[in-house]
Amino acid sequence: MVELKEVFNRFAPQIIYIIAVPVFFIAFLLVYSPGWCVRFLDFGKFGYYFHVTMLTCIVAGGCGLGRSILYVLRRKITNTVYYAWCLLEMVVSSLFAALYIWLMSRMEIAYFPAVAQSFAMISLTCIYPYTVIHIALLLHYTKKKSESAVALQDDRIRFYDNRKNLKFAAMVSSVFYLSADENYVNIHYTDDNGKMQAFVLRSSMKSIEELCASHSLVRCHRSYIVNPEHVRILRKDSRGLLFADLDTPEPVSVPVTKTYYDRLAELI
């Protein structure tokens, strides 16, 4: 089962909501023009279409603000909290929408009845994108998690280049460390004969860091990722610099920064 913390660990899913919810809202109201919405919004000299456009801006603002705050609080998300948050976003948007309608109608439309009408209009419309996006994200991350589990079972790590082409695969236990070299990553491993080899992959450390983490390879430096299984000792030299000595056929010391030291120390 995928946890919501995993789904919203990045800001990209929030952007999908921020774009899709107001787009669906305006498209639905302009294309289908529900009769009761037309009667509710067709007031003043501007008319229905203008008010729908302005309300879309309010919905976009409410969704954008809500999703930004949700991203900050993503580590505390539970199913109950998330569904309540979605409802809260629609309530907040409804309050501001009603304020807009109240002011634009020159207070001819009472505020609290406008809140009720606005909430009905926003919730009944936006429930569709909220539901569809949520289900799609859960299915996507469930599939991604299953693929990661399968990859872990065969104990192979597969490296892809910038064009998503498979370039190198090896047993995780045979990989000692990875080092960055401008637009390339050097994968240091042992071949079937026990000799150290280095495969040059056109990629960046950032793009492969998540893949490495899923196979228990950890970042130890801005330019290095190491396999904790092969760390023989962590040491500090006379200048106070930290290094990880590896159990490679030939002595190799990989630099370690203080940022990653504690994490690496826990795994060896």
Side-chain angles (χ1 to χ4, degrees), residues 1 73 75 90 95-96 100 151 161 227 235 260 262:
M1 181 69 180
L73 303 175
R75 299 187 184 280
M90 291 186 281
L95 292 174
F96 281 99
Y100 165 81
D161 63 12
N227 188 342
R235 61 179 176 84
Y260 303 105
D262 291 338

PDB file of all heavy atoms in Angstrom, residues 1 73 75 90 95-96 100 151 161 227 235 260 262:
ATOM      1  N   MET A   1       0.848  -1.199   0.000  1.00  0.00           N
ATOM      2  CA  MET A   1       0.000   0.000   0.000  1.00  0.00           C
ATOM      3  C   MET A   1       0.886   1.253   0.000  1.00  0.00           C
ATOM      4  O   MET A   1       1.790   1.391   0.818  1.00  0.00           O
ATOM      5  CB  MET A   1      -0.897   0.001   1.243  1.00  0.00           C
ATOM      6  CG  MET A   1      -1.833   1.187   1.324  1.00  0.00           C
ATOM      7  SD  MET A   1      -3.112   1.102   0.045  1.00  0.00           S
ATOM      8  CE  MET A   1      -4.030   2.597   0.419  1.00  0.00           C
ATOM      9  N   LEU A  73       3.820  20.641   4.845  1.00  0.00           N
ATOM     10  CA  LEU A  73       3.391  19.743   5.924  1.00  0.00           C
ATOM     11  C   LEU A  73       3.286  18.288   5.477  1.00  0.00           C
ATOM     12  O   LEU A  73       2.660  17.468   6.143  1.00  0.00           O
ATOM     13  CB  LEU A  73       2.019  20.188   6.451  1.00  0.00           C
ATOM     14  CG  LEU A  73       1.921  21.631   6.951  1.00  0.00           C
ATOM     15  CD1 LEU A  73       0.480  21.952   7.314  1.00  0.00           C
ATOM     16  CD2 LEU A  73       2.846  21.866   8.130  1.00  0.00           C
ATOM     17  N   ARG A  75       5.061  15.648   5.508  1.00  0.00           N
ATOM     18  CA  ARG A  75       5.508  14.540   6.360  1.00  0.00           C
ATOM     19  C   ARG A  75       4.461  14.167   7.407  1.00  0.00           C
ATOM     20  O   ARG A  75       4.569  13.112   8.041  1.00  0.00           O
ATOM     21  CB  ARG A  75       6.833  14.893   7.040  1.00  0.00           C
ATOM     22  CG  ARG A  75       7.975  15.159   6.054  1.00  0.00           C
ATOM     23  CD  ARG A  75       9.302  15.329   6.767  1.00  0.00           C
ATOM     24  NE  ARG A  75      10.348  15.676   5.824  1.00  0.00           N
ATOM     25  CZ  ARG A  75      10.980  14.815   5.041  1.00  0.00           C
ATOM     26  NH1 ARG A  75      10.661  13.540   5.105  1.00  0.00           N
ATOM     27  NH2 ARG A  75      11.921  15.222   4.202  1.00  0.00           N
ATOM     28  N   MET A  90     -11.598  23.654  -0.769  1.00  0.00           N
ATOM     29  CA  MET A  90     -12.836  24.052  -1.440  1.00  0.00           C
ATOM     30  C   MET A  90     -13.636  25.039  -0.594  1.00  0.00           C
ATOM     31  O   MET A  90     -14.259  25.957  -1.121  1.00  0.00           O
ATOM     32  CB  MET A  90     -13.671  22.808  -1.775  1.00  0.00           C
ATOM     33  CG  MET A  90     -13.044  21.950  -2.868  1.00  0.00           C
ATOM     34  SD  MET A  90     -14.074  20.575  -3.425  1.00  0.00           S
ATOM     35  CE  MET A  90     -13.803  19.393  -2.094  1.00  0.00           C
ATOM     36  N   LEU A  95     -15.406  30.698   0.305  1.00  0.00           N
ATOM     37  CA  LEU A  95     -15.522  31.918   1.114  1.00  0.00           C
ATOM     38  C   LEU A  95     -15.080  33.144   0.323  1.00  0.00           C
ATOM     39  O   LEU A  95     -15.740  34.194   0.357  1.00  0.00           O
ATOM     40  CB  LEU A  95     -14.683  31.774   2.391  1.00  0.00           C
ATOM     41  CG  LEU A  95     -15.169  30.741   3.412  1.00  0.00           C
ATOM     42  CD1 LEU A  95     -14.166  30.600   4.546  1.00  0.00           C
ATOM     43  CD2 LEU A  95     -16.541  31.121   3.955  1.00  0.00           C
ATOM     44  N   PHE A  96     -13.959  33.009  -0.397  1.00  0.00           N
ATOM     45  CA  PHE A  96     -13.472  34.137  -1.194  1.00  0.00           C
ATOM     46  C   PHE A  96     -14.343  34.365  -2.426  1.00  0.00           C
ATOM     47  O   PHE A  96     -14.538  35.505  -2.852  1.00  0.00           O
ATOM     48  CB  PHE A  96     -12.016  33.900  -1.600  1.00  0.00           C
ATOM     49  CG  PHE A  96     -11.042  34.194  -0.502  1.00  0.00           C
ATOM     50  CD1 PHE A  96     -10.519  33.183   0.280  1.00  0.00           C
ATOM     51  CD2 PHE A  96     -10.653  35.501  -0.238  1.00  0.00           C
ATOM     52  CE1 PHE A  96      -9.617  33.448   1.301  1.00  0.00           C
ATOM     53  CE2 PHE A  96      -9.758  35.791   0.780  1.00  0.00           C
ATOM     54  CZ  PHE A  96      -9.239  34.768   1.562  1.00  0.00           C
ATOM     55  N   TYR A 100     -16.330  37.808  -3.360  1.00  0.00           N
ATOM     56  CA  TYR A 100     -16.280  38.448  -4.669  1.00  0.00           C
ATOM     57  C   TYR A 100     -17.702  38.718  -5.185  1.00  0.00           C
ATOM     58  O   TYR A 100     -18.015  39.829  -5.649  1.00  0.00           O
ATOM     59  CB  TYR A 100     -15.515  37.555  -5.646  1.00  0.00           C
ATOM     60  CG  TYR A 100     -15.714  37.936  -7.094  1.00  0.00           C
ATOM     61  CD1 TYR A 100     -14.999  38.985  -7.663  1.00  0.00           C
ATOM     62  CD2 TYR A 100     -16.641  37.250  -7.888  1.00  0.00           C
ATOM     63  CE1 TYR A 100     -15.204  39.354  -8.983  1.00  0.00           C
ATOM     64  CE2 TYR A 100     -16.841  37.602  -9.215  1.00  0.00           C
ATOM     65  CZ  TYR A 100     -16.126  38.654  -9.758  1.00  0.00           C
ATOM     66  OH  TYR A 100     -16.328  39.016 -11.068  1.00  0.00           O
ATOM     67  N   ALA A 151      12.814  -5.064  -8.828  1.00  0.00           N
ATOM     68  CA  ALA A 151      14.227  -4.782  -9.089  1.00  0.00           C
ATOM     69  C   ALA A 151      15.102  -5.184  -7.906  1.00  0.00           C
ATOM     70  O   ALA A 151      16.210  -5.695  -8.071  1.00  0.00           O
ATOM     71  CB  ALA A 151      14.422  -3.297  -9.389  1.00  0.00           C
ATOM     72  N   ASP A 161      20.958   6.066 -19.308  1.00  0.00           N
ATOM     73  CA  ASP A 161      21.562   7.354 -19.640  1.00  0.00           C
ATOM     74  C   ASP A 161      20.499   8.447 -19.679  1.00  0.00           C
ATOM     75  O   ASP A 161      19.334   8.219 -19.323  1.00  0.00           O
ATOM     76  CB  ASP A 161      22.326   7.270 -20.971  1.00  0.00           C
ATOM     77  CG  ASP A 161      21.411   6.952 -22.160  1.00  0.00           C
ATOM     78  OD1 ASP A 161      20.175   7.014 -21.997  1.00  0.00           O
ATOM     79  OD2 ASP A 161      21.947   6.637 -23.232  1.00  0.00           O
ATOM     80  N   ASN A 227      28.668   2.268  -1.759  1.00  0.00           N
ATOM     81  CA  ASN A 227      27.952   1.086  -1.276  1.00  0.00           C
ATOM     82  C   ASN A 227      28.407   0.812   0.161  1.00  0.00           C
ATOM     83  O   ASN A 227      29.561   0.428   0.382  1.00  0.00           O
ATOM     84  CB  ASN A 227      28.273  -0.120  -2.161  1.00  0.00           C
ATOM     85  CG  ASN A 227      27.415  -1.327  -1.817  1.00  0.00           C
ATOM     86  OD1 ASN A 227      26.821  -1.395  -0.743  1.00  0.00           O
ATOM     87  ND2 ASN A 227      27.356  -2.292  -2.714  1.00  0.00           N
ATOM     88  N   ARG A 235      37.193   7.295   8.593  1.00  0.00           N
ATOM     89  CA  ARG A 235      38.310   7.888   9.339  1.00  0.00           C
ATOM     90  C   ARG A 235      38.425   9.384   9.046  1.00  0.00           C
ATOM     91  O   ARG A 235      37.861   9.887   8.077  1.00  0.00           O
ATOM     92  CB  ARG A 235      39.618   7.205   8.973  1.00  0.00           C
ATOM     93  CG  ARG A 235      39.986   7.335   7.503  1.00  0.00           C
ATOM     94  CD  ARG A 235      41.302   6.654   7.173  1.00  0.00           C
ATOM     95  NE  ARG A 235      41.583   6.725   5.744  1.00  0.00           N
ATOM     96  CZ  ARG A 235      42.151   7.771   5.140  1.00  0.00           C
ATOM     97  NH1 ARG A 235      42.498   8.842   5.861  1.00  0.00           N
ATOM     98  NH2 ARG A 235      42.375   7.755   3.830  1.00  0.00           N
ATOM     99  N   TYR A 260      26.634  14.052   5.109  1.00  0.00           N
ATOM    100  CA  TYR A 260      26.234  12.665   4.876  1.00  0.00           C
ATOM    101  C   TYR A 260      26.877  11.687   5.865  1.00  0.00           C
ATOM    102  O   TYR A 260      26.585  10.498   5.809  1.00  0.00           O
ATOM    103  CB  TYR A 260      26.624  12.250   3.456  1.00  0.00           C
ATOM    104  CG  TYR A 260      26.036  13.126   2.381  1.00  0.00           C
ATOM    105  CD1 TYR A 260      26.809  14.064   1.710  1.00  0.00           C
ATOM    106  CD2 TYR A 260      24.689  13.028   2.038  1.00  0.00           C
ATOM    107  CE1 TYR A 260      26.267  14.876   0.711  1.00  0.00           C
ATOM    108  CE2 TYR A 260      24.138  13.832   1.046  1.00  0.00           C
ATOM    109  CZ  TYR A 260      24.937  14.749   0.397  1.00  0.00           C
ATOM    110  OH  TYR A 260      24.396  15.544  -0.580  1.00  0.00           O
ATOM    111  N   ASP A 262      26.653  11.060   9.208  1.00  0.00           N
ATOM    112  CA  ASP A 262      25.806  10.329  10.160  1.00  0.00           C
ATOM    113  C   ASP A 262      25.004   9.235   9.468  1.00  0.00           C
ATOM    114  O   ASP A 262      24.857   8.125   9.987  1.00  0.00           O
ATOM    115  CB  ASP A 262      24.871  11.287  10.886  1.00  0.00           C
ATOM    116  CG  ASP A 262      25.608  12.219  11.840  1.00  0.00           C
ATOM    117  OD1 ASP A 262      26.730  11.859  12.242  1.00  0.00           O
ATOM    118  OD2 ASP A 262      25.066  13.291  12.157  1.00  0.00           O
TER     119      ASP A 262
END
